[in-house]
Amino acid sequence: MKYQSQKVAYAYFLVAMALFAIQVLGGLLAGWIYISPNTLSELLPFNVIRMLHTNALIVWLLLGFFGAAYYLVPEESERELFSAKLAYIQLAILVVGTLGAVVSYLVGIHGGREFLEQPLWVKFGILVAAVIFLVNISLTVLAGRKTAITNILLMGLWLLCLLWVFAFINPDNLSLDKMYWWFVVHLWVEATWELVMAAILGYLMLKMTGVDREVVEKWLYVIVATALFSGILGTGHHFFWIGTPGYWQWIGSIFSVFEVVPFFAMMSFAFVMVWKGRKNHPNKAALLWSLGASTVAFFGAGVWGFLHTLHGVNFYTHGTQITAAHGHLAFYGAYVALNLAMFTYAMPQLRGRAPYNQVLNMASFWLMTGGMCFMTFVLTFAGTIQTHMQRIVGDYYMDVQDQLGLFYMMRFGAGVAVVLGALLFIYSQLVVRRELIAPGPVTAPGE
Amino acid sequence: MSEILTKSRARNVFYGGSLFFVVVFVAMTVHSHRYIVETSTAGMPLTDEVRLGKHVWERASCINCHTLHGEGAYFAPEVGNVMTRWGVLDDPEGAYEILNGWMQAQPSGVEGRRQMPFFDLTEEETRALAEFLRWADQTDTQNWPPNDAG
């Protein structure tokens, strides 16, 4: 850690990990309700649990991005943050807003647009926090060295915050509501967040592989170009059946096929950089998470997205467990694993220790990734059966659900693995203080 | 390739191309906005009752169990076509009665069955919710869903 103000990232990462724990525990509970539907049904209904699950996810990922920006921008810009104090104020606003939202949900006060259920005052709090963040980070970047990494990161974060404005726009016409809702939801995860992801991945590759900056930055521009060229009109794959014109079926299908490209490029980028790089960086766990994130993102967002994105397929699979399968693996690979890669890279430096607890951290990677993949597979099977029975044969929803119990049990098992992995990760970051396994002697290759 | 594709060229392609796609997207959005208002949702007027129904739908966070036009949670049935499924798409009174009967019977309390919570709605609110669901059902969704099962 070269700059004192990078330390603010530590507070962001701590809050993010706490919310991560809440998110996966909420998910586990929701998964349990699929098996035992009477659980808490009057005290804490499924819809409230799901709100906590999805909202906690979104907020902790954003906190992770903010923390990552506060960590890497001083190094890239070669100067201290404009104001560490503002960064802490921003965090305080977000924590108060998050706690406020949780309490509101528990007492039944919430909005009704999916993922944007936060009460209005919390939405304003998020807006204020976003403005503080943008001011703080932009002034830092403008005063210091400009790199492609900070350029792309800033562009992603600025657009992300601007799109938040659509969280306040809720037309009475349901189809308009849905169309503008996707301006936040799709243009976050399939456009602006990809810019943030590419920038963070580029930074990690630069630090850990020792590949020349020119090469990394050129790759980055190519990747983000493919992300926005495909992702902006790729929004059309959400405009198939909500009352929007029929031409979106072709626009959405064609452009969302190309949405696979940036994820394939990010995966290739990560592997090529690691192969080309000559640096033997000691933080092997961070390298594992970086490569894992780009790979699982390619499968979750790219392959599983493509699976149901063509309108001829989506006509039958839309809104089934296929969507749930894709959503889980895509979010895990692209954004959860990437954030955990950044935590894994930065935490040893934020806590002033050599890379430690590699073994437990890497075990948590395999546990979480294995669990998430298994969950995706069983939900895909469940979704295939559901699509056939409900959309082709025409059986009623609940009759079909009754046939899927076995898959929901296996999904719960996979969820247990993910939760154990997440808790192990947090433990390895916060508690473990020394290497569990000492490294072996260094030998020349081929001996 | 490295000589043709320099970093600054890659950057310029990124900025120029992105701007182009943003412009195209905005233009198509403007057209879609008009299409929704004038064509696809024009089959039934957007009355104050429908508006109230949408607020009821949102206040109860129905979307976090049900899907509506295929979007939402996947825990409970699709309701974008529920009025068709119940055979009351063109019958406001019938729509209210069947919806009210359903809502009053929740939660069923049946062991091993997914439970819908009880929502304490006034008659006005339940009527509005029924009208909102009828309004959503008449939207031209390009013939989705494939059948009445939703």
Side-chain angles (χ1 to χ4, degrees):
Chain A
M1 202 174 77
K2 268 174 148 172
Y3 299 92
Q4 268 310 308
S5 53
Q6 284 179 286
K7 190 84 185 171
V8 297
Y10 188 53
Y12 276 80
F13 293 164
L14 287 182
V15 180
M17 282 193 281
L19 282 174
F20 179 33
I22 291 172
Q23 181 230 329
V24 292
L25 289 170
L28 193 67
L29 180 57
W32 176 250
I33 291 174
Y34 268 85
I35 301 172
S36 176
N38 305 79
T39 310
L40 293 176
S41 62
E42 307 210 10
L43 259 178
L44 194 60
F46 182 88
N47 62 343
V48 177
I49 295 167
R50 185 174 185 271
M51 268 186 267
L52 294 173
H53 178 58
T54 56
N55 280 232
L57 168 72
I58 296 163
V59 176
W60 90 254
L61 292 179
L62 285 172
L63 286 171
F65 289 158
F66 292 146
Y70 283 134
Y71 185 84
L72 71 81
V73 163
E75 270 184 31
E76 287 290 295
S77 302
E78 297 183 327
R79 56 180 296 118
E80 294 286 350
L81 283 177
F82 171 71
S83 164
K85 199 174 157 195
L86 273 182
Y88 285 118
I89 293 173
Q90 180 205 345
L91 181 63
I93 293 173
L94 288 170
V95 169
V96 170
T98 305
L99 293 177
V102 170
V103 172
S104 309
Y105 295 170
L106 291 177
V107 298
I109 299 169
H110 42 67
R113 295 169 96 199
E114 196 184 2
F115 313 134
L116 305 179
E117 297 92 348
Q118 307 80 25
L120 195 61
W121 69 270
V122 175
K123 284 202 179 87
F124 274 113
I126 294 172
L127 190 67
V128 172
V131 170
I132 294 175
F133 171 76
L134 290 175
V135 167
N136 202 359
I137 218 81
S138 301
L139 288 178
T140 310
V141 168
L142 286 176
R145 181 179 67 151
K146 283 136 196 105
T147 69
I149 290 176
T150 52
N151 234 350
I152 292 169
L153 182 71
L154 230 73
M155 188 174 163
L157 291 165
W158 263 94
L159 293 175
L160 180 174
C161 294
L162 286 176
L163 287 166
W164 179 247
V165 170
F166 287 96
F168 296 89
I169 298 173
N170 181 11
D172 291 328
N173 183 311
L174 178 71
S175 292
L176 289 181
D177 165 4
K178 284 176 174 290
M179 186 171 79
Y180 292 114
W181 178 79
W182 283 114
F183 277 42
V184 190
V185 177
H186 173 94
L187 291 178
W188 270 20
V189 297
E190 293 173 66
T192 53
W193 285 28
E194 281 184 54
L195 266 52
V196 176
M197 176 184 179
I200 294 176
L201 194 64
Y203 170 81
L204 289 171
M205 288 298 120
L206 194 66
K207 291 289 164 180
M208 287 194 289
T209 67
V211 169
D212 188 44
R213 179 180 281 276
E214 277 296 305
V215 178
V216 169
E217 299 200 324
K218 186 167 78 181
W219 265 86
L220 273 187
Y221 278 121
V222 173
I223 290 170
V224 294
T226 60
L228 290 196
F229 294 2
S230 62
I232 292 172
L233 288 182
T235 316
H237 63 218
H238 302 293
F239 294 170
F240 293 163
W241 329 114
I242 60 170
T244 27
Y247 56 69
W248 285 109
Q249 291 176 20
W250 287 103
I251 301 278
S253 292
I254 290 166
F255 281 89
S256 56
V257 167
F258 290 112
E259 281 191 47
V260 183
V261 175
F263 287 106
F264 186 77
M266 270 192 270
M267 180 176 67
S268 313
F269 164 71
F271 278 90
V272 171
M273 291 303 114
V274 171
W275 278 325
K276 283 179 98 163
R278 294 175 176 276
K279 217 183 213 173
N280 186 16
H281 197 278
N283 198 337
K284 295 286 180 268
L287 206 57
L288 175 66
W289 276 108
S290 305
L291 292 173
S294 61
T295 306
V296 182
F298 168 66
F299 281 99
V303 178
W304 253 259
F306 174 72
L307 184 70
H308 61 146
T309 202
L310 299 176
H311 67 265
V313 175
N314 193 262
F315 184 66
Y316 295 101
T317 60
H318 182 48
T320 62
Q321 294 297 323
I322 299 276
T323 318
H326 159 63
H328 279 88
L329 198 62
F331 261 98
Y332 174 73
Y335 302 122
V336 171
L338 183 85
N339 261 306
L340 299 185
M342 188 68 202
F343 296 178
T344 302
Y345 174 78
M347 283 296 261
Q349 298 176 50
L350 288 167
R351 306 189 80 203
R353 292 197 196 89
Y356 53 101
N357 62 32
Q358 301 280 351
V359 177
L360 286 185
N361 187 327
M362 287 198 261
S364 81
F365 169 84
W366 291 110
L367 201 53
M368 262 188 270
T369 306
M372 225 51 223
C373 289
F374 192 84
M375 185 185 300
T376 304
F377 297 148
V378 293
L379 288 180
T380 305
F381 292 134
T384 308
I385 293 173
Q386 184 188 3
T387 300
H388 181 75
M389 290 181 71
Q390 190 179 320
R391 297 285 164 72
I392 313 270
V393 179
D395 290 335
Y396 282 118
Y397 178 90
M398 281 313 299
D399 298 341
V400 176
Q401 292 297 312
D402 288 340
Q403 303 294 314
L404 303 177
L406 177 65
F407 297 103
Y408 292 139
M409 277 181 216
M410 290 195 283
R411 188 265 297 273
F412 181 76
V416 170
V418 173
V419 170
L420 290 177
L423 296 178
L424 183 61
F425 178 88
I426 295 169
Y427 174 80
S428 77
Q429 293 299 297
L430 298 183
V431 181
V432 180
R433 284 165 178 274
R434 60 187 171 80
E435 290 286 2
L436 285 186
I437 296 173
V442 178
T443 51
E447 275 180 29
Chain B
M1 178 170 144
S2 58
E3 278 154 32
I4 304 166
L5 188 71
T6 59
K7 189 173 100 181
S8 63
R9 279 207 180 125
R11 187 188 58 214
N12 294 343
V13 168
F14 166 59
Y15 285 137
S18 299
L19 202 62
F20 169 76
F21 283 110
V22 167
V23 171
V24 173
F25 181 69
V26 169
M28 290 176 77
T29 304
V30 170
H31 177 263
S32 299
H33 185 117
R34 293 185 49 177
Y35 175 85
I36 287 170
V37 174
E38 291 166 10
T39 310
S40 67
T41 64
M44 187 175 147
L46 185 58
T47 59
D48 284 345
E49 197 173 26
V50 174
R51 290 192 180 93
L52 174 63
K54 185 166 183 277
H55 293 154
V56 173
W57 163 267
E58 288 171 356
R59 205 180 61 212
S61 188
C62 311
I63 198 83
N64 273 297
C65 288
H66 292 277
T67 50
L68 178 56
H69 297 336
E71 296 170 358
Y74 318 106
F75 186 71
E78 164 69 27
V79 289
N81 70 336
V82 69
M83 291 301 167
T84 301
R85 193 152 65 234
W86 285 345
V88 290
L89 182 58
D90 299 315
D91 175 9
E93 196 55 35
Y96 161 69
E97 274 170 17
I98 193 166
L99 179 66
N100 190 45
W102 175 263
M103 302 281 290
Q104 295 295 333
Q106 307 305 320
S108 71
V110 177
E111 195 60 33
R113 187 92 184 153
R114 293 183 194 171
Q115 296 297 307
M116 177 164 159
F118 174 72
F119 295 100
D120 193 11
L121 304 183
T122 64
E123 183 185 331
E124 187 193 6
E125 287 169 335
T126 310
R127 281 185 186 278
L129 185 58
E131 284 307 281
F132 169 67
L133 291 173
R134 282 202 322 115
W135 187 92
D137 201 337
Q138 58 78 40
T139 301
D140 175 7
T141 54
Q142 309 287 329
N143 295 320
W144 194 89
N147 56 50
D148 289 355

